[in-house]
Amino acid sequence: MSLNQVGVPDTDDQAALLEAVGGVLRRVWTPDMLLDPEGEPAVDGRRVWSALAGVGLAGLPLTEGRGGAGGTWGDLAVAGELLGATVAPSPFVPVAGALGALDVLSTDAGAEILQGIAEGAVVPAVAWTGEHPSTLVAIESGGAVTVSGEIDAVLGGRIDVLVARAETAAGEVLLVVVEVGEGVTVTPTESLDLAREVSHLALSGASARVIARGEQAERAVRRGRAGAVLALGAELVGVQGHCLEGSVAYALERTQFGQPIGAFQGVKHRLADVLAAVELSRATVRHLAQCLDDLGSTPEMLDEASGLVLASVTPAAVAAGNAYIQVLGGIGYTWEHEAPLYY
């Protein structure tokens, strides 16, 4: 029995996209690669991402004129469910954040970086540090810009560029792009997520390119934040869907007292709650995608839609992972099963 709760397409094009992305993932990735508790997980996110970029995922919501695949943010949300369902290691979230921020700008420097990201050749990290005490400080001198400061955690380990919010001494907000090199130290940090690398960044006089200033920079940052939230939300919807499908399959197979455990109310009601949460989560992510696809959406609209995603999807994903382990019983707590990867 299949509930088909992972990658639910709204159009024929999205169904074809899911088939293409699913084919790539089956070829280059399986969650089993993370299930070796005795050694280092065999994670090669760049290899996986390079393969996904080959079917257009890296630049999916961009127009073809900007180097993208001519899709929509809604398409990206659908594809993201597959990445979450397979816990695929990839820079999906920071890429979506960078695309969201850079796509609304018309500067040549921004277009150049955008092209590299859309091709899968450039892997970004994003840091919208304005709401944290570790705000990056930009110094302008003679037409050159350098950035200094520390960022406690960014998604990614093997990154090429940092797209970040910085401020000048006068308080002007800048959107800058910093290439990882001289003046940039990337230090991997321990993460509970075996498929997602996390790094600490230290910048000391790192050369930077200013992509936007003032209100334009703030608008780009808020749109970039919405793009990252959409990608994260889509992955978590995929996590929920996979946990639900696995839980139902086991509940129909495992018997106790002469009947499937799914026949007991304590199990069936719990999984019914998970199903309701999956569908609500998917609706909030698709709503955010519609806002991103509508260029008339204001930053306030994007902030509100992003908040809805975070408020609904995050706790629902935790509950789905917990239900998966609980329905499985003892086997769900061991490295002999995939369940710990989803909780």
Side-chain angles (χ1 to χ4, degrees):
M1 175 182 177
S2 176
L3 295 175
N4 296 321
Q5 282 298 316
V6 174
V8 179
D10 293 322
T11 67
D12 291 341
D13 286 343
Q14 289 178 354
L17 172 66
L18 288 170
E19 185 176 347
V21 172
V24 169
L25 290 174
R26 286 190 294 273
R27 189 172 70 250
V28 302
W29 174 252
T30 170
D32 291 346
M33 296 179 180
L34 297 172
L35 295 177
D36 180 10
E38 301 298 328
E40 290 294 323
V43 175
D44 186 354
R46 292 197 73 131
R47 174 174 173 266
V48 173
W49 189 242
S50 177
L52 291 169
V55 294
L57 189 62
L60 185 58
L62 303 182
T63 63
E64 293 181 2
R66 304 215 74 181
T72 66
W73 286 95
D75 297 335
L76 195 73
V78 172
E81 292 187 24
L82 284 186
L83 301 188
T86 57
V87 288
S90 79
F92 184 61
V93 174
V95 164
L99 294 180
L102 298 176
D103 189 32
V104 294
L105 305 174
S106 58
T107 59
D108 291 339
E112 178 186 343
I113 296 297
L114 195 63
Q115 178 76 32
I117 295 173
E119 293 174 350
V122 174
V123 173
V126 295
W128 315 131
T129 57
E131 298 177 1
H132 303 283
S134 56
T135 301
L136 299 180
V137 177
I139 298 176
E140 298 182 90
S141 177
V145 179
T146 58
V147 175
S148 298
E150 293 190 16
I151 303 171
D152 292 334
V154 297
L155 293 180
R158 287 164 285 186
I159 60 178
D160 300 311
V161 299
L162 171 68
V163 182
R165 181 189 190 275
E167 290 185 11
T168 66
E172 183 181 20
V173 175
L174 307 177
L175 179 64
V176 298
V177 171
V178 181
E179 293 188 15
V180 174
E182 185 177 356
V184 180
T185 302
V186 181
T187 306
T189 61
E190 188 173 355
S191 171
L192 291 176
D193 189 340
L194 299 179
R196 204 186 300 274
E197 294 177 302
V198 178
S199 299
H200 172 276
L201 294 187
L203 292 83
S204 178
S207 179
R209 284 181 280 178
V210 177
I211 305 300
R213 296 174 178 270
E215 291 185 5
Q216 187 183 38
E218 288 283 20
R219 178 169 173 261
V221 165
R222 292 169 77 174
R223 186 173 175 83
R225 185 183 295 121
V229 169
L230 176 133
L232 178 61
E235 285 190 334
L236 292 180
V237 170
V239 166
Q240 293 175 59
H242 181 84
C243 290
L244 177 61
E245 291 185 351
S247 299
V248 170
Y250 187 79
L252 292 173
E253 175 185 313
R254 176 77 165 87
T255 60
Q256 188 68 42
F257 305 113
Q259 59 185 319
I261 62 173
F264 298 107
Q265 286 190 347
V267 174
K268 67 170 68 172
H269 287 183
R270 185 168 197 166
L271 296 183
D273 289 341
V274 173
L275 173 59
V278 172
E279 295 183 340
L280 177 60
S281 297
R282 179 175 291 112
T284 62
V285 173
R286 301 290 171 89
H287 170 63
L288 176 55
Q290 288 179 341
C291 291
L292 283 164
D293 283 324
D294 181 2
L295 295 180
S297 296
T298 64
E300 291 74 20
M301 292 170 63
L302 292 175
D303 289 347
E304 180 180 349
S306 298
L308 286 173
V309 170
L310 294 175
S312 63
V313 176
T314 306
V318 173
N322 185 39
Y324 194 16
I325 290 177
Q326 294 295 326
V327 169
L328 288 168
I331 190 66
Y333 291 86
T334 74
W335 282 108
E336 295 176 35
H337 199 279
E338 65 172 20
L341 299 176
Y342 293 86
Y343 179 68

